[in-house]
């Protein structure tokens, strides 16, 4: 699994942990090991610009997901990664650590925990999950909670 990460946020972040939780989520979801993912951490100004340009939102958001190759996600053995067996380009996850830190304070957990949650959330969006409807939200957030719990249990051992 190729996961590229770039921290352009100006905020110190444990990028190894962000990579680890992304890899765990992708592995648990059965994504082809040749898949490629990009994670970008940005500051509030850039996230505000992206949110406005791509989502029509006002102000910054916590996470954005930009899927690349929706048809090439491998959900099990026997499927090829893409045309001619090339790696699937899953897409990009953009995180804003400053927004994550504010949300973490409100939620009563660490900024790192919030970034891990947002990373899994972004991965699930890249895999086609959404939370626009109540049933979709229950499915996505339940899966998100299970993935985070299983990742945390592997780190505790």
């Amino acid at each position: 699994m190729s996961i590229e990460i770039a921290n352009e946020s100006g905020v110190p972040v444990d990028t190894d942990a962000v990579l680890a939780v992304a890899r765990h989520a992708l592995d648990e979801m059965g994504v082809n090991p040749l898949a490629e993912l990009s994670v970008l951490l940005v500051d509030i100004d850039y996230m505000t610009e992206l949110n406005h340009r791509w989502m029509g939102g006002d102000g910054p958001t916590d996470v954005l997901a930009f899927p690349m190759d929706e048809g090439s996600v491998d959900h099990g053995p026997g499927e090829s990664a893409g045309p001619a067996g090339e790696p699937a380009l899953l897409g990009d996850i953009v995180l804003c650590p400053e927004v994550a830190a504010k949300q973490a304070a409100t939620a009563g957990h660490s900024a790192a925990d919030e970034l891990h949650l947002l990373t899994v959330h972004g991965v699930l969006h890249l895999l086609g999950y959404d939370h626009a409807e109540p049933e979709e939200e229950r499915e996505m957030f339940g899966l998100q909670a299970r993935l985070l719990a299983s990742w945390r249990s592997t780190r505790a051992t």
Side-chain angles (χ1 to χ4, degrees):
M1 188 98 35
S2 173
I3 303 174
E4 298 291 324
I5 189 164
N7 185 356
E8 298 176 5
S9 69
V11 175
V13 171
D14 181 354
T15 54
D16 289 342
V18 172
L19 285 173
V21 74
R23 186 176 311 279
H24 177 81
L26 292 168
D27 287 346
E28 291 294 308
M29 294 302 294
V31 173
N32 188 300
L34 298 177
E36 296 177 9
L37 169 68
S38 170
V39 179
L40 178 62
L41 297 109
V42 300
D43 64 21
I44 283 183
D45 290 341
Y46 191 58
M47 185 58 104
T48 299
E49 179 185 326
L50 289 175
N51 190 34
H52 178 72
R53 185 181 336 151
W54 296 103
M55 304 302 291
D58 290 328
T61 189
D62 49 6
V63 59
L64 291 170
F66 298 98
M68 294 296 224
D69 227 358
E70 291 184 35
S72 64
V73 175
D74 181 359
H75 287 285
E79 288 186 25
S80 69
E86 292 180 18
L89 300 174
L90 293 178
D92 303 318
I93 297 171
V94 183
L95 302 168
C96 186
E98 292 168 278
V99 173
K102 290 176 187 172
Q103 290 177 176
T106 301
H109 55 243
S110 73
D113 284 345
E114 187 72 11
L115 279 174
H116 304 154
L117 179 149
L118 295 172
T119 300
V120 171
H121 190 87
V123 165
L124 291 175
H125 273 307
L126 292 181
L127 297 178
Y129 289 87
D130 201 359
H131 47 85
E133 300 296 326
E135 186 175 314
E136 293 174 332
E137 182 175 337
R138 277 191 299 280
E139 179 185 13
M140 183 175 178
F141 283 61
L143 184 53
Q144 177 178 290
R146 286 191 301 278
L147 290 169
L148 281 168
S150 68
W151 180 69
R152 288 181 182 131
S153 71
T154 65
R155 290 175 56 94
T157 57

